[in-house]
Amino acid sequence: MKGLYFQKSSTNEEITFVFQERENLPVIEDNYVKLQVKACALSQINTKLLAEMKMEKEFFPVGREIAGIVLDGILPLDSEGPGLCEVVRVHEHYLGTCQSFAAHVSLASLMCVALGMIAIQLAHHRGAKVISTAGSLEDKQCLERLRPSIARVIDVSNGKAHVAESCLEETGGLGVDIVLDAGVRLYSKDDEPAVKLQLLPHKHDIITLLGVGGHWVTTEENLQLDPPDSHCLFLKGATVAFLNDEVWNLSNLRILKDVMEKLSTGVFRPQLDEPIPLYEAKVSMEVVQKNQGRKKQVVQF
């Protein structure tokens, strides 16, 4: 029985993906189940996080967001087996029941989703007015087609858009209640990479567009706030929280059930490419690891 693993070169940062024959699954113990995998989503592997958590190994399993014919769940970060395999051994803590066999691909794609389309759909479900940035013309057109419609789509692809000004204009100068970013710029223009400079707002823009009592949820792992930044946030009574999508996951059964309910009722409508067969997983994972995929990619068994 084959599974997909990634291997990091000992001399450089190059990552390769390889199929390997797996040993037979260990004898099923109490609180463990054997799961026949029907779909597995592909997500970028955070090699830096693995190194910091002392979890590096010669071959690391690929694929944690899985759905099966009876149960579905997300494999823990320290799982010894890959999700990209026909059968896996999973602790019951990481599983939740699914009522629809047809939902495997969608469920697998949602297990670790926190940003983008799903965040917008959840905000609309809660009655929020949504403002979003778009990094390309294709993204902008996709966002503008959404229903319910987005209040404003800010095209940042040309590097000329003023995110803070646009948000304050849309809110009558009051600012927004919640900001969920995909990263921010920390330094001056001369010290930032060109791509980051073009697509991401500066941290000062985020602080400016936050309203009184606002919440800033950031994925910027190296966020640095100077004393004037902290003072401004203090005056607004604002809060800052960090979202680490490798640590924040749907291992909580209550959250799993909530996600499945919202998927079945149409609240969540994941944007997916066509499912791919297992033999294409290696090439597709290489694209995902380079962060070149536009939509969530799912392997269907």
Side-chain angles (χ1 to χ4, degrees):
M1 186 169 54
K2 290 184 178 180
L4 186 65
Y5 295 79
F6 89 81
Q7 183 179 24
K8 189 174 180 179
S9 171
S10 59
T11 57
N12 53 50
E13 295 298 314
E14 183 180 356
I15 291 177
T16 57
F17 295 91
V18 295
F19 280 107
Q20 281 197 328
E21 288 290 341
R22 294 186 58 204
E23 298 178 358
N24 292 332
L25 292 177
V27 176
I28 301 300
E29 305 169 3
D30 290 343
N31 303 319
Y32 280 84
V33 298
K34 184 182 291 186
L35 175 67
Q36 184 179 2
V37 179
K38 287 297 183 180
C40 178
L42 303 181
S43 294
Q44 193 175 32
I45 296 170
N46 190 334
T47 56
K48 182 180 178 181
L49 178 65
L50 293 177
E52 292 176 350
M53 297 182 68
K54 311 297 183 184
M55 295 176 61
E56 289 184 301
K57 57 182 73 173
E58 183 180 3
F59 294 98
F60 196 87
V62 173
R64 296 169 50 226
E65 305 144 66
I66 61 173
I69 58 173
V70 177
L71 303 170
D72 66 276
I74 174 171
L75 297 182
L77 190 59
D78 58 355
S79 172
E80 297 180 359
L84 276 169
C85 191
E86 293 179 359
V87 179
V88 296
R89 174 178 174 267
V90 189
H91 192 281
E92 64 180 4
H93 175 72
Y94 300 104
L95 299 174
T97 58
C98 169
Q99 301 300 322
S100 172
F101 292 115
H104 291 137
V105 171
S106 296
L107 279 171
S109 72
L110 283 172
M111 290 298 107
C112 279
V113 171
L115 297 177
M117 288 292 186
I118 298 301
I120 292 172
Q121 291 165 11
L122 183 59
H124 277 150
H125 175 66
R126 299 299 297 269
K129 181 178 181 180
V130 178
I131 303 171
S132 176
T133 59
S136 67
L137 177 59
E138 184 178 350
D139 287 344
K140 182 174 183 291
Q141 293 172 342
C142 180
L143 290 168
E144 289 175 339
R145 290 194 297 267
L146 288 179
R147 294 296 180 270
S149 60
I150 293 178
R152 179 177 295 199
V153 179
I154 306 170
D155 186 357
V156 297
S157 60
N158 56 14
K160 298 179 180 180
H162 298 285
V163 176
E165 292 180 13
S166 298
C167 290
L168 292 174
E169 179 183 337
E170 188 64 38
T171 59
L174 296 176
V176 302
D177 298 307
I178 301 175
V179 174
L180 177 59
D181 71 45
V184 295
R185 290 187 285 117
L186 304 175
Y187 312 110
S188 63
K189 293 182 177 180
D190 297 333
D191 299 323
E192 293 281 11
V195 174
K196 192 171 185 178
L197 183 65
Q198 177 180 343
L199 298 179
L200 298 180
H202 196 278
K203 63 179 180 179
H204 293 155
D205 293 329
I206 302 294
I207 295 172
T208 299
L209 63 86
L210 267 179
V212 174
H215 305 284
W216 177 11
V217 182
T218 180
T219 60
E220 180 55 60
E221 60 184 80
N222 297 313
L223 181 67
Q224 300 177 32
L225 296 177
D226 300 319
D229 300 331
S230 298
H231 185 65
C232 186
L233 290 168
F234 169 76
L235 292 177
K236 293 186 176 187
T239 61
V240 180
F242 291 88
L243 176 62
N244 181 344
D245 58 5
E246 286 290 351
V247 175
W248 182 92
N249 59 47
L250 301 183
S251 58
N252 184 296
L253 187 57
R254 180 183 60 80
I255 301 177
L256 273 172
K257 291 180 178 178
D258 187 53
V259 167
M260 294 172 197
E261 179 183 344
K262 286 180 170 55
L263 180 65
S264 63
T265 57
V267 174
F268 288 157
R269 303 176 301 280
Q271 306 291 309
L272 305 171
D273 280 332
E274 286 296 318
I276 62 172
L278 180 60
Y279 64 82
E280 292 183 8
K282 179 178 179 294
V283 174
S284 295
M285 192 60 206
E286 291 171 352
V287 174
V288 171
Q289 188 65 23
K290 294 176 183 178
N291 203 23
Q292 296 176 345
R294 297 187 57 81
K295 296 181 181 180
K296 197 71 171 180
Q297 190 74 69
V298 177
V299 177
Q300 188 169 26
F301 290 80

